Each structure stands twice: as structure tokens, then as C-alpha cells.
Amino acid sequence: MKNKVSFFQSVGFKIILVYIFLLLITIELIGVYFDTELERNMESNFKSSIENRIQLLTYSLEEAFTRERTEGDPSLQQEVQTILSEFDSQDITELQVIDSEMRIIGTTSQFNENIIGKITTREDVQRLFSFQTQLPYRKTYDPETGTRTLVNTIPVFNQSDEIVGAVFVEASMEEVFNQLENITKIFMNGTLIALSITVVIGILVSRTITRPISEMRKQANVVAGGNFTKKVNVYAMDEIGQLANSFNHMTERLKESYAVTEDERRKLTSVLSNMNEGVIASNSEGKIILMNERAEEFIGQSFGKIEGQNILSLLGIEEEFTAVSDITSREPVLIDFSNDHKELLIKATFSGIYDEHERVSGFITVLNDVTEEERIEQERREFVANVSHELRTPLTTMRSYLEALTDGDTWKNPDIAPKFLGVTQNETERMIRLVNDLLQLSKLDNEENYLRKERVDFTDFFHSIIDRFEMNKYEQDLSFVRQLPDKPHWVWIDKDKMTQVLYNVLSNAIKYSPDGGDITCKVDVKGKMLNVTVTDQGVGIPSDQVDRIFDRFYRVDKARSRKLGGTGLGLAIAREMIEAHDGKIWADSKEGRGTTITITLPVMHQKRGDA
């Protein structure tokens, strides 16, 4: 998200402020120094001007005070008044001449002529006559009028350097301060003009600095969006220009790095998407941060819904393990995700992800569907158990009868010995059949039982199989019902293997058929497949066991099947052979209402000219 920077928050405004502050500080320092020095110089010049004029005045007054007067000459007071009237009193607001008796004998103020002849009360005049010492000039300020004046009392000496009089001087300094104020105003106006020029220059300078910076900021936002095509303009080879060059170089490197990263990401995504294993990545706390589609299929939830959840809680093993780190070094965990519709067993393998400091920064959980493996392993265990049981029963029987024969003279008994030997022979033949069936299944599993296919009319072929069974005599009174077509249907089969399949199916139908039952054999064509069905009227198969009758060693009625001499492998062999012919075999049954075995085989294309 881009945040627009206001002018008052920008670097340009800060640069202008710095320029203004620097200029103000400089002008302020110069102004203070200039104002102080100007005031001091102007006051000094003013005081020097006053002193020079007063010095001329005191010279005339000294002559007046020391002159010997005769009758008819003007008095000292008259002469002093004449001198004062001729004196240039510019900037001097008042002059008073005092004699040695501290009487005022002359003044330049027309408004204070009534003080002539009076004793002065000024302290500085009294101090002058008392201490015989001239005091320096001093400034005074009248708060009522706001005027500033320079005052002093200058002694008048005779030829013997004795003080015979004094001159009190009061000079207005307003003109000086007015000039100083005017000069200050001129200085302030110059300051304002300088500030205005500084602002303009500051804006121009700040633009030269902030323009490339602003472009780099915009380019950074563009780069953050994944666009590496644009470059920052380089206006000069100063530090900012070098920064712009470095930024462009960094953009190129980022483009290369991004391309490599994106390529690796696509490879990783492709690998994760096409893996048969589910992969879940979690952080160091066990919270989920990544999951592929296969893992979503196993879990049954999308990544968006479970992101951030704990991996142990998701897999339902939080009660067995408190943390993911507890199971990273252990054997894989088998988890049952089965439900009413599907059996699913998952093997979860946990491994840690370590950073450069060998600290765990996350975990990878790999999920493998081992449902088929577990099923095969269970079938293998059941197969071994069944083979062991099937072999143990006849061997035990044979051992018992052989032990009975070898015990004493039983083998000489013409009534018992043949019977025992007959049982032993039957059990031996049964084991031979079992071993032969096992060998045949082994060949089918290893694809070593090659088919020798030929073009066969299945209608005629099936008639011949049924004819063989009808020639045999059975304990039950059975009837074979033929629902076979009148015309031939050609198939590409191995006659020996298909004979074995049909023998197994028909033999089972005969074994489980009741007295007087019918065995219906039917052939028809649906589409490109030939359907062969064999239906008996036996006891049927429970609905929950119908799909299992083609499993190895599976018997619905184990006692009866074993009594009838079955090995439990006939239908398993039949299924393997039918599937080798690109067909299918299945059973439909209802308990107490018989069983139907259906076989489908591909039909050969009809040739032109065939009847």
C-alpha cells in the first residue's frame, strides 16, 4: 500500500527549513553584532561631537570667568548669556552655566529662564564642586516621555586650574536611535528579501535532491510489485547519482534473483503438486504454513481452512505427543483416516528443518497412503496363516493315521489298514492340489503363466464343458439348464485356462446345490462384451461376504468346503485368469436364494463373409 507523503513531511520541506534556520541564525548573529557595534559607534560619535562643541564653549566661558571687569563692562551673567545665545545648540536640549557658588547664571532653555540666579540642586554639580573631579557622560531615560538623553557636568577652570564654574549639558539622543531604528528596518527588509530568495533557492536545491529520491521511492514500490523493467534516471554523478546507479544495479540483481527464486518456486510447486505423498510444512511451533494438494486430499480439507492450525491436532495425535519435536527422531506414525465410505491408512513421517545455527526453524511432515500396503501385508499374513492351516490339517490327519498303523500290528489288520491308507492317500492328494493351486497363483502373480490364445466359438465351447459335467453322477439330482444362443460367438481365449475357470465355477455350483436343484448356464452379448452366467439354487452367500469369495483361502462355510475337498483358491485363480483375458468376474447372491457368477469376455469383431 502506497502512502502519499505530504509537503510538510517531505525531505524538500525539511531542506528548506534547514536553509531558513541557517540563514536566520546567521542573520541574527550578524544583526546582533551589527546592531551592538552600530549603537556603540553612533553613541561614541555623538558623544565626541557633543564633547567637541562643549570644549569650545568652556574655552569661551573660561575667558568670561577670568576676565577682569571695569565699570561699564557687561556682567558675568550677561556675558555668559550672550555666549550661550551664540552657541550652536543642535542636539543639545539644554545648557546651564553655574558659577562657583552653584548659582545658575545662564541657560539655553527659553522655558527655564526663571531658574537663573537660583542655586542648582543637581547632585552631579554638587559632586563636581565637592570632589573637584569631572564625571563621565551618562545616559538617562524618561519613562513618561520615552526620551533618552546624554547628560554630564563639565568644569570651567581658571588659569590656576581651579574650578570657577561648571556647565551642565543635556543632549537628546533620539536622533541617534531614530537613525539606528531606520538602519534596523533596512536590515530587516534585507533579511526578508534574503529569506524569500533562500526559500526559492531551497525549493530548487531540494528538488534536485528529492527528485531522484522520489523516483527511487516510486521505483522501489514498482520493484516490490515484481516489475524490474524500469530504471531510475541518473541526473549527476554525485552521491545521489551513485546511489541511483547502485539502485539500478540492485534492481538488476533482484531481477535475476527473483527469476531464479520464481523458477525454483515453480519447480517446487510442480514437485509438490505431482507427488503421490502429501507434504505439510509447519513452523517451529508446529503451526501449518504450507500444504500440497495430495495432503489436502488425505486430510479432506483445503489449506485455507487449516492454515495456522497445529499439525498434531490436525492429525489427531496430540494426545500421544505434546510437541512435533518429540516425534521427529522416532519411527513413522500410522494414522487411521478411515470413514464409513472409504478405508484410508496414512503413514506420517516427521523431520526437522534447521537454520544456519543448527536450531529448528520448522518441520516437514510427509504423508504416505499405505492402505494398499497394509491390506497386502494383512493378506500376506492371512495367506501364510491359511496355508499353514490348510497344510497342518491334512498333515496332522496323516500323522495320526500313520502312527496308528505303525503302532503294533494295526497295519496287518485287513479291515482297518486299507481304510487308514485311503484316508492318508486322500489327504496327500488334497495337499498336492493345494500346492498346485499355490504354484499356479504364484505364476499368475509373476506373469509367468503365458496365455496361448486362439479363436474359439464360445457357444460350442461352453456346450462341451456342460456335456462333461452332465456325464458325471452326483449325490444330488441336478439338472443343467442351458440358455445358450443358436449362433456362434467368437472370442480370443486360452482354452485350457478358460476350461479351468468354468470347471471351478461349475464345480462350486454343484457343491452347494440342493437335491433336485437346477444349474442355469447362460450366454449373451451386450455391446462388445460376452456375458457368461452360472446360477445355482444353493444356500447363497451373505451380502457382506459376496465380494470376498474371490479372495485366497476365503470360504463362506469353511467346514463344508473343506469336507468337499476345496482348497479355497479356485475362485481366486479364476479371477486372475479372467483378468488376464481382459475380462471381469463377479458374484451376485442372496442368502437362501442361490448365487450367480458372471464372467465377461471381449467379443472378436465379426469378419465379412462369416456366417
Side-chain angles (χ1 to χ4, degrees):
M1 181 179 180
K2 299 180 180 178
N3 296 323
K4 186 176 181 180
V5 180
S6 65
F7 173 73
F8 297 103
Q9 293 177 330
S10 64
V11 175
F13 179 71
K14 294 176 182 177
I15 292 174
I16 296 172
L17 281 182
V18 169
Y19 268 94
I20 292 175
F21 286 146
L22 289 176
L23 182 62
L24 285 176
I25 292 172
T26 303
I27 292 176
E28 185 68 23
L29 293 175
I30 294 173
V32 170
Y33 176 77
F34 178 77
D35 189 63
T36 303
E37 289 298 314
L38 181 62
E39 182 178 358
R40 187 178 62 81
N41 288 332
M42 292 184 70
E43 288 182 2
S44 177
N45 293 334
F46 181 75
K47 185 168 63 174
S48 298
S49 175
I50 296 299
E51 285 178 347
N52 290 334
R53 284 185 286 170
I54 295 300
Q55 187 176 4
L56 293 174
L57 177 64
T58 55
Y59 180 75
S60 299
L61 290 175
E62 286 178 0
E63 289 183 350
F65 272 94
T66 58
R67 181 183 295 118
E68 292 183 3
R69 301 184 187 281
T70 61
E71 192 174 339
D73 291 335
S75 63
L76 177 62
Q77 182 176 338
Q78 291 175 344
E79 189 175 356
V80 167
Q81 193 65 38
T82 301
I83 295 171
L84 292 177
S85 62
E86 296 175 353
F87 181 73
D88 182 11
S89 60
Q90 185 180 3
D91 298 330
I92 298 177
T93 56
E94 186 176 3
L95 282 174
Q96 294 179 3
V97 180
I98 300 101
D99 61 10
S100 58
E101 295 178 357
M102 291 192 294
R103 286 181 304 176
I104 301 173
I105 60 174
T107 180
T108 58
S109 176
Q110 297 178 358
F111 303 101
N112 290 333
E113 290 181 353
N114 59 344
I115 63 172
I116 297 176
K118 294 182 180 180
I119 302 297
T120 183
T121 57
R122 295 184 181 275
E123 292 183 2
D124 48 357
V125 175
Q126 293 176 358
R127 291 181 62 184
L128 175 64
F129 283 104
S130 299
F131 297 101
Q132 299 291 308
T133 304
Q134 181 181 356
L135 298 175
Y137 281 86
R138 59 186 178 85
K139 289 188 296 184
T140 62
Y141 176 75
D142 188 350
E144 294 182 0
T145 60
T147 57
R148 286 156 289 194
T149 56
L150 186 67
V151 298
N152 199 3
T153 302
I154 297 94
V156 178
F157 298 93
N158 59 13
Q159 295 177 352
S160 301
D161 290 332
E162 295 176 353
I163 296 177
V164 292
V167 178
F168 173 75
V169 182
E170 186 177 66
S172 175
M173 300 183 70
E174 289 304 309
E175 185 65 24
V176 174
F177 284 101
N178 287 337
Q179 292 179 6
L180 187 62
E181 185 177 351
N182 291 334
I183 294 173
T184 303
K185 288 181 179 179
I186 294 171
F187 188 80
M188 290 300 297
N189 291 333
T191 301
L192 292 176
I193 294 172
L195 285 176
S196 301
I197 296 173
T198 300
V199 170
V200 175
I201 295 175
I203 292 174
L204 296 176
V205 172
S206 65
R207 282 178 62 84
T208 60
I209 296 175
T210 58
R211 184 179 179 184
I213 294 176
S214 178
E215 289 186 3
M216 281 187 278
R217 179 182 63 82
K218 293 178 182 178
Q219 178 64 12
N221 291 328
V222 172
V223 170
N227 185 355
F228 301 97
T229 58
K230 295 184 178 180
K231 291 186 177 182
V232 178
N233 295 323
V234 180
Y235 297 98
M237 288 310 297
D238 54 5
E239 288 84 352
I240 296 178
Q242 293 176 2
L243 176 61
N245 274 329
S246 299
F247 189 89
N248 290 332
H249 179 66
M250 181 190 69
T251 302
E252 289 294 328
R253 294 299 302 273
L254 282 176
K255 181 179 180 180
E256 296 173 2
S257 299
Y258 182 80
V260 173
T261 304
E262 187 66 17
D263 185 56
E264 294 297 326
R265 187 191 65 80
R266 285 194 295 267
K267 290 179 181 178
L268 178 60
T269 302
S270 177
V271 169
L272 290 176
S273 299
N274 293 284
M275 286 179 65
N276 289 326
E277 296 81 6
V279 178
I280 302 176
S282 54
N283 60 16
S284 57
E285 298 177 356
K287 294 182 179 179
I288 298 172
I289 58 175
L290 180 66
M291 176 186 290
N292 67 350
E293 294 180 2
R294 186 61 172 164
E296 291 179 356
E297 294 177 6
F298 289 156
I299 303 300
Q301 299 183 63
S302 65
F303 173 66
K305 293 182 179 180
I306 62 176
E307 183 179 6
Q309 291 187 18
N310 187 276
I311 182 66
L312 299 182
S313 178
L314 178 68
L315 298 179
I317 55 176
E318 70 276 9
E319 296 182 358
E320 303 175 39
F321 308 97
T322 57
V324 185
S325 56
D326 296 340
I327 52 177
T328 53
S329 58
R330 300 192 181 187
E331 294 294 326
V333 180
L334 189 64
I335 306 171
D336 189 356
F337 279 97
S338 303
N339 52 36
D340 296 337
H341 307 287
K342 182 181 180 182
E343 183 180 3
L344 180 60
L345 295 176
I346 298 297
K347 181 176 69 174
T349 305
F350 298 84
S351 59
I353 303 173
Y354 299 90
D355 58 17
E356 65 274 11
H357 302 294
E358 297 299 324
R359 292 177 300 191
V360 177
S361 59
F363 301 94
I364 293 293
T365 305
V366 179
L367 306 179
N368 288 282
D369 184 359
V370 294
T371 306
E372 186 65 20
E373 295 177 13
E374 290 295 318
R375 186 186 66 79
I376 293 173
E377 180 63 21
Q378 181 64 26
E379 289 181 355
R380 185 190 65 79
R381 289 192 292 265
E382 291 179 356
F383 179 78
V384 172
N386 287 330
V387 170
S388 301
H389 182 73
E390 293 294 335
L391 290 175
R392 183 178 60 186
T393 300
L395 288 173
T396 301
T397 302
M398 291 172 61
R399 184 180 65 180
S400 300
Y401 279 89
L402 290 174
E403 286 177 352
L405 286 172
T406 57
D407 184 16
D409 296 330
T410 305
W411 62 276
K412 296 180 180 181
N413 190 324
D415 296 326
I416 298 176
K419 183 179 180 181
F420 280 13
L421 289 174
V423 171
T424 303
Q425 184 178 0
N426 289 335
E427 293 298 332
T428 301
E429 292 175 354
R430 180 181 169 192
M431 284 192 295
I432 292 172
R433 289 196 302 273
L434 176 61
V435 171
N436 288 335
D437 288 344
L438 289 174
L439 289 174
Q440 190 168 15
L441 276 175
S442 178
K443 290 180 180 180
L444 290 171
D445 290 339
N446 294 319
E447 299 181 354
E448 294 179 1
N449 197 19
Y450 299 106
L451 299 178
R452 295 177 176 83
K453 292 183 179 182
E454 57 184 296
R455 186 168 177 263
V456 177
D457 175 11
F458 195 85
T459 303
D460 185 60
F461 173 70
F462 200 13
H463 274 299
S464 65
I465 298 295
I466 298 172
D467 290 342
R468 295 179 195 176
F469 277 91
E470 284 182 335
M471 293 176 63
N472 296 326
K473 300 295 183 180
Y474 304 103
E475 296 180 358
Q476 318 98 301
D477 185 12
L478 299 177
S479 298
F480 288 90
V481 180
R482 308 189 190 199
Q483 296 180 0
L484 306 181
D486 296 332
K487 61 180 181 178
H489 289 292
W490 300 94
V491 291
W492 191 255
I493 60 174
D494 185 324
K495 292 181 66 175
D496 291 338
K497 298 295 188 297
M498 193 55 60
T499 299
Q500 185 177 353
V501 170
L502 294 176
Y503 260 80
N504 273 320
V505 173
L506 289 171
S507 295
N508 284 334
I510 293 170
K511 289 177 185 177
Y512 297 102
S513 292
D515 291 339
D518 293 335
I519 297 176
T520 304
C521 300
K522 181 179 179 182
V523 174
D524 61 355
V525 176
K526 292 183 179 180
K528 298 180 179 181
M529 301 300 290
L530 179 74
N531 290 351
V532 182
T533 59
V534 176
T535 304
D536 62 47
Q537 296 176 336
V539 295
I541 304 170
S543 58
D544 59 339
Q545 300 183 39
V546 171
D547 295 334
R548 299 192 61 189
I549 64 172
F550 294 97
D551 294 345
R552 299 173 184 184
F553 291 109
Y554 186 81
R555 297 185 179 93
V556 178
D557 186 347
K558 294 180 174 59
R560 183 181 179 188
S561 297
R562 190 172 289 112
K563 182 179 179 181
L564 293 174
T567 63
L569 297 175
L571 289 179
I573 294 173
R575 181 177 65 180
E576 296 286 345
M577 290 182 175
I578 291 297
E579 289 178 354
H581 283 80
D582 300 320
K584 292 183 180 180
I585 182 171
W586 67 88
D588 296 299
S589 179
K590 289 186 179 180
E591 202 167 2
R593 298 180 62 180
T595 301
T596 298
I597 302 295
T598 303
I599 299 171
T600 63
L601 294 171
V603 179
M604 292 183 63
H605 296 293
Q606 187 73 25
K607 294 183 179 180
R608 291 181 182 180
D610 289 346

